[in-house]
């Protein structure tokens, strides 16, 4: 038994060391990636359900690693969040995407931009200035930019979040609560935050065409959001059935693979 215990301990040591090394390597690679232009924004269309037109794009960060190829943001964003890297990357993302949006609008495309903010960015004392600078440099109207913050990030430190959001709001940018339904926020808490948009998490959209329960939940989220004047976006729409149902339920906008996948800027307008 003792030998087995030692063996197990040894095995644990090795795999833990490998895991730590992999993460350290990836963090160093990510630092390099920022300087080498390996990070770039993909854009996913957001469609108005009344007109069927693309009204906005959501910027989703991509990392093309020189040896490993595409690495998912689900993997590298949490890593960036553990260091100050997320603030550097987040600001660069903001600068690059607002520039791109300004160029599209100059070509007559009537689009707005959605950019994701992580929890760590809400703690950054320079965030508001960075947003202000991005707007000033591009000459974009503030309302052309919508910042998305997840429900869990907002619920983590409500007082601090409310304060930062109020400062952002005073710039005139729009604010969205992302992944709604996965946290436990109440209507009262949402009202205090002066948000503009609510995005229903994909997990609720997945089942709406098959499950009465899922449909009932989505119906009540839409009613609740509309009662406090929020625009509702459904994310993760993958079928025509889901799209039709959401339209019938009065959902305002939608995004998902059925409407368009995230693509590089050059592919967005069928170039
Ligand atoms: P999110 O903000 O909830 O973004 C939606 C995710 O769902 C994206 O994954 C998108 O590619 C994916 N998606 C869109 N439509 C569909 C669909 O119909 N079906 C399915 N199965 N998935 C769909 P992605 O691009 O892998 O990003 C994952 C998460 O990483 C994002 O979730 C967001 O939380 C984070 N993220 C991405 N870019 C950034 C960024 O620039 N900054 C920060 N802070 N976070 C980012
Ligand atoms: Ca988002
Ligand atoms: Ca989301
Ligand atoms: Ca999500």
């Amino acid at each position: 038994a003792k030998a087995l215990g030692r063996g197990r301990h040894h095995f644990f040591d090795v795999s833990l060391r490998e895991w730590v090394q992999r993460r350290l390597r990836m963090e160093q690679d990510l630092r390099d990636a920022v300087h080498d232009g390996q990070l770039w924004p993909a854009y996913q269309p957001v469609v108005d359900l009344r007109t069927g037109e693309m009204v906005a794009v959501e910027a989703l960060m991509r990392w093309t690693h020189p040896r490993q190829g595409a690495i998912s943001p689900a993997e590298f964003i949490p890593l960036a969040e553990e260091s100050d890297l997320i603030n550097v990357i987040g600001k660069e993302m903001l600068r690059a995407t607002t520039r791109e949006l300004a160029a599209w609008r100059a070509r007559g495309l009537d689009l707005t931009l959605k950019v994701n903010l992580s929890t760590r960015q809400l703690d950054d004392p320079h965030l508001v200035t960075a947003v202000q600078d991005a707007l000033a440099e591009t000459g974009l109207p503030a309302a052309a930019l919508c910042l998305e913050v997840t429900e869990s990030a907002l619920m983590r430190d409500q007082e601090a979040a409310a304060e930062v959001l109020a400062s952002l709001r005073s710039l005139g940018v729009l604010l969205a609560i992302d992944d709604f339904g996965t946290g436990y926020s109440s209507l009262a808490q949402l009202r205090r935050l002066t948000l503009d948009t609510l995005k229903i998490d994909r997990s609720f959209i997945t089942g709406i065409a098959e499950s009465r329960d899922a449909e009932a939940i989505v119906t009540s989220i839409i009613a609740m959001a509309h009662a406090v004047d929020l625009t509702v976006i459904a994310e993760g729409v993958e079928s025509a059935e889901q799209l039709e149902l959401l339209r019938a339920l009065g959902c305002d906008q939608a995004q998902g693979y059925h409407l368009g996948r995230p693509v590089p800027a050059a592919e967005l307008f069928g170039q």
Side-chain angles (χ1 to χ4, degrees):
K2 207 171 177 195
L4 184 66
R6 212 179 314 155
R8 220 186 271 152
H9 184 68
H10 177 69
F11 171 77
F12 179 69
D13 262 4
V14 169
S15 58
L16 180 64
R17 199 183 310 130
E18 277 174 2
W19 181 81
V20 169
Q21 278 170 353
R22 179 179 149 75
R23 294 195 53 106
L24 285 176
R25 206 180 311 124
M26 202 158 151
E27 192 184 322
Q28 185 51 52
D29 284 0
L30 192 52
R31 287 188 189 281
D32 296 341
V34 178
H35 302 291
D36 298 351
Q38 296 163 24
L39 298 175
W40 54 277
Y43 295 96
Q44 182 174 40
V46 178
V47 170
D48 184 300
L49 289 181
R50 268 176 304 127
T51 63
E53 273 170 33
M54 169 164 53
V55 288
V57 289
E58 178 175 4
L60 293 159
M61 209 185 304
R62 296 292 177 257
W63 180 9
T64 311
H65 191 283
R67 292 178 307 280
Q68 288 167 249
I71 299 178
S72 164
E75 194 171 356
F76 72 80
I77 297 281
L79 189 65
E81 279 175 343
E82 282 171 25
S83 60
D84 61 324
L85 263 181
I86 190 65
N87 290 326
V88 179
I89 294 173
K91 276 173 204 160
E92 188 48 41
M93 183 78 170
L94 206 55
R95 191 175 304 129
T97 56
T98 47
R99 242 183 238 159
E100 209 136 39
L101 178 71
W104 291 330
R105 287 170 65 104
R107 281 164 48 189
L109 296 162
D110 191 14
L111 287 177
T112 61
L113 172 69
K114 312 216 176 261
V115 175
N116 293 286
L117 289 186
S118 87
T119 321
R120 274 295 292 265
Q121 286 177 278
L122 291 183
D123 297 336
D124 178 4
H126 305 298
L127 174 69
V128 178
T129 319
V131 172
Q132 200 169 17
D133 289 350
L135 294 172
E137 278 167 27
T138 54
L140 284 172
L145 178 64
C146 177
L147 300 172
E148 300 192 352
V149 186
T150 61
E151 185 183 14
S152 50
L154 291 180
M155 290 308 119
R156 196 194 45 135
D157 183 351
Q158 293 175 38
E159 288 306 316
E163 210 169 296
V164 180
L165 294 190
S167 308
L168 289 170
R169 190 61 208 264
S170 69
L171 297 178
V173 300
L174 303 184
L175 300 169
I177 184 165
D178 204 351
D179 298 353
F180 185 80
T182 58
Y184 300 93
S185 50
S186 69
L187 192 56
Q189 288 166 330
L190 286 185
R191 283 188 67 142
R192 284 185 50 224
L193 293 173
T194 62
L195 303 160
D196 304 278
T197 302
L198 179 153
K199 294 184 92 164
I200 306 176
D201 191 66
R202 171 160 58 88
S203 56
F204 297 100
I205 306 304
T206 305
I208 49 166
E210 291 88 34
S211 144
R212 287 244 149 226
D213 285 354
E215 185 186 326
I217 291 169
V218 170
T219 302
S220 63
I221 292 176
I222 293 171
M224 182 205 80
H226 282 169
V228 291
D229 266 341
L230 296 175
T231 299
V232 184
I233 305 184
E235 56 178 20
V237 177
E238 293 184 347
S239 73
E241 290 83 356
Q242 291 168 351
L243 188 67
E244 280 324 305
L245 191 51
L246 287 163
R247 205 194 310 269
L249 294 178
C251 185
D252 305 296
Q253 299 172 2
Q255 66 188 109
Y257 294 167
H258 178 69
L259 295 160
R261 287 182 180 257
V263 292
E267 280 173 40
L268 195 60
F269 305 107
Q271 224 169 286

